[in-house]
Every structure is written in C-alpha cells, then in structure tokens.
Amino acid sequence: MNIIVANTSHFKYAQIICDTIAASAKVRGTGIAKRTPEYIRKKLENGNAVIALDNDTFAGFCYIEVWGHEKYVANSGLIVHPDYRSKGLAKQIKVCIFKLSQEKFPEAKIFGITTGLPVMKINYELGYKPVTFSELTDDPEFWKGCQTCKNFDVLTRTEQKMCLCTGMLYDPATKSKKKEKKINGKAFKRLKSIKESLFLKRKK
Ligand SMILES: CC(C)(COP(=O)(O)OP(=O)(O)OC[C@H]1O[C@@H](n2cnc3c(N)ncnc32)[C@H](O)[C@@H]1OP(=O)(O)O)[C@@H](O)C(=O)NCCC(=O)NCCS
C-alpha cells in the first residue's frame, strides 16, 4: 500500500473518489458535503491531498481545506474504499494528511466535524479535542459546505451553534505530548444518541 501526497498524475482517480464518497454516504444514511471531480482535481493540483493506492487500485483519500485566511485548516473527505476497511488504513491516511497540514500551514488550527466514531477515535489520538462550533472557523464558505447535508436544517435551527456532528480541534499553540489515552467510545455513542433525540424528534 502506497500512501502519498497526491498530484496531477492522480487526476484519473477524481471520479472514483467522488463515487466512493457518495456511495458510502448513501449506505450510512448520514449527511455529507457533496464533492465534484473538479473540486478533487483542484486539491490534487495544489498538493493538498493524500491518496492511498494498492498498486494502481484506489484504496483511500483525504484532503486539506483552508479557511479564515489560513488561520484554520480542515482535513476533510476522508474515505477508505469498502474493500480496504478495518485494516488501519484510515488511521494511516489521517496521520499523513495531519503531518502535511502541519508542514504547509504550521500556524493553523486543524479541525474537523464528524458524526463518525472511527474519525473521532483517530482525531483524539492525534491530539484533537472536542469543542463547540464557536471554537471553529466562522468562515461562511466552510459552513456553506453543510448545505448539501441532510441535517442542514438542524444547523440552521440552532443558528450554527450545534448539530449532529461533533467539532474537534487541534491547536498547535497547545501542542501536547503524544496522547496514550483512547477515546471513550461509549460516551461518544451516548452523546450521539442524545443529540439525535434532541434534534431529530422535533421534526415530527
Ligand atoms: C470511516 C472510515 C474512513 C474508516 O476507515 P478504516 O480504514 O476502516 O478505519 P481504521 O481501520 O483505520 O480504523 C480506525 C479506528 O476506528 C475504528 N473503527 C473502524 N470502523 C468502525 C466502525 N464502523 N465503528 C466503530 N469503530 C470503527 C477502528 O477499530 C479503529 O479504532 P482502534 O484504533 O481503536 O482499533 C471508512 O469506514 C469510510 O471510508 N467510511 C465512509 C466515509 C466516512 O464515514 N468518512 C468519514 C467522514 S467524517
């Protein structure tokens, strides 16, 4: 398995990346920000993405988004092809994109929003902390990305204060020693179900 910083030679994978993201979102039945092949190609062109290839076969991907005049960056669009899941690949891709983010944007806070336990686990181990949305970028372009998520009405209803996703932030100013602690998966699942009952039942 090759996990590398992607470039223009990987343009041919833009479509399969988008298709895999869309198919996974459908299976999970969760919200997701939509990506186009053009958008992915821009990331490849700018050296702001990591791709995992098994010889020539697409296995996984993640990219960097820059917000608030480089004060914040997000590691987004993490996807591992179903054939390559549960082998630790997402973790390796996240480590690689996290290092790339720090090299390219050393001053930036690195953040993400997610409903997924695997991503929460990986982020936590990398030194991210769960935070309220007020700690994240207020760049309207970032939040516009949520418009294609099926839970966007929740975000609007709460005036962007909270949603089903949990915000997580790595602040380079408070760089801590490598975390040995693992995330409490039970607590996260409980938080998720509380949020779901708070936000989703009101729709009825
Ligand atoms: C989420 C995803 C990227 C995980 O990829 P993966 O390569 O299977 O993940 P890893 O094998 O690196 O696992 C990372 C951690 O998450 C855990 N994990 C993986 N899948 C899990 C699941 N379905 N439920 C709970 N935990 C899970 C692993 O056990 C591991 O934790 P550990 O270190 O404590 O053992 C992959 O399932 C995927 O592409 N899903 C669809 C897209 C998606 O959800 N992207 C994230 C958007 S925020």
Side-chain angles (χ1 to χ4, degrees):
M1 185 70 65
N2 251 336
I3 301 164
I4 46 172
V5 177
N7 56 46
T8 52
S9 74
H10 301 109
F11 271 15
K12 61 184 172 197
Y13 296 104
Q15 190 63 54
I16 190 174
I17 291 168
C18 291
D19 293 348
T20 315
I21 291 175
S24 299
K26 214 170 168 191
V27 170
R28 288 161 74 213
T30 55
I32 195 113
K34 276 201 183 104
R35 283 93 179 177
T36 61
E38 295 74 52
Y39 186 77
I40 299 296
R41 280 195 283 270
K42 204 93 230 123
K43 296 292 167 194
L44 303 177
E45 211 170 88
N46 296 339
N48 280 346
V50 164
I51 193 163
L53 295 173
D54 178 12
N55 292 315
D56 276 344
T57 306
F58 168 70
F61 186 73
C62 192
Y63 62 79
I64 301 173
E65 289 172 321
V66 184
W67 305 107
H69 308 285
E70 299 191 4
K71 277 198 193 136
Y72 288 87
V73 303
N75 293 166
S76 297
L78 176 68
I79 186 75
V80 169
H81 191 279
D83 294 349
Y84 294 92
R85 287 186 189 162
S86 302
K87 297 181 168 89
L89 184 55
K91 203 178 268 180
Q92 290 181 62
I93 294 172
K94 283 283 281 186
V95 168
C96 190
I97 198 88
F98 185 63
K99 280 189 190 151
L100 181 67
S101 304
Q102 287 175 306
E103 277 162 31
K104 291 189 83 167
F105 308 98
E107 308 291 326
K109 292 177 179 176
I110 306 173
F111 76 101
I113 58 173
T114 183
T115 54
L117 183 54
V119 176
M120 290 272 292
K121 278 184 173 177
I122 298 168
N123 285 351
Y124 191 74
E125 283 164 33
L126 288 171
Y128 288 59
K129 293 203 170 97
V131 292
T132 56
F133 284 5
S134 60
E135 300 287 304
L136 308 179
T137 180
D138 58 3
D139 189 329
E141 283 304 311
F142 170 76
W143 297 100
K144 260 192 205 168
C146 297
Q147 284 175 359
T148 49
C149 170
K150 71 167 190 176
N151 298 319
F152 184 59
D153 66 305
V154 178
L155 190 67
T156 318
R157 212 186 318 142
T158 61
E159 290 160 348
Q160 212 176 286
K161 287 194 182 76
M162 56 189 98
C163 201
L164 296 203
C165 274
T166 296
M168 294 191 81
L169 181 82
Y170 173 86
D171 186 349
T174 57
K175 221 180 264 179
S176 57
K177 285 174 219 112
K178 202 171 172 347
K179 283 250 179 316
E180 291 304 329
K181 248 168 75 178
K182 293 257 181 184
I183 199 163
N184 182 342
K186 246 183 172 174
F188 172 65
K189 277 187 185 145
R190 179 90 186 108
L191 170 68
K192 205 172 157 194
S193 81
I194 290 170
K195 278 189 177 189
E196 279 167 0
S197 62
L198 268 178
F199 294 132
L200 299 183
K201 272 187 186 158
R202 279 194 207 152
K203 273 183 177 172
K204 284 179 189 165

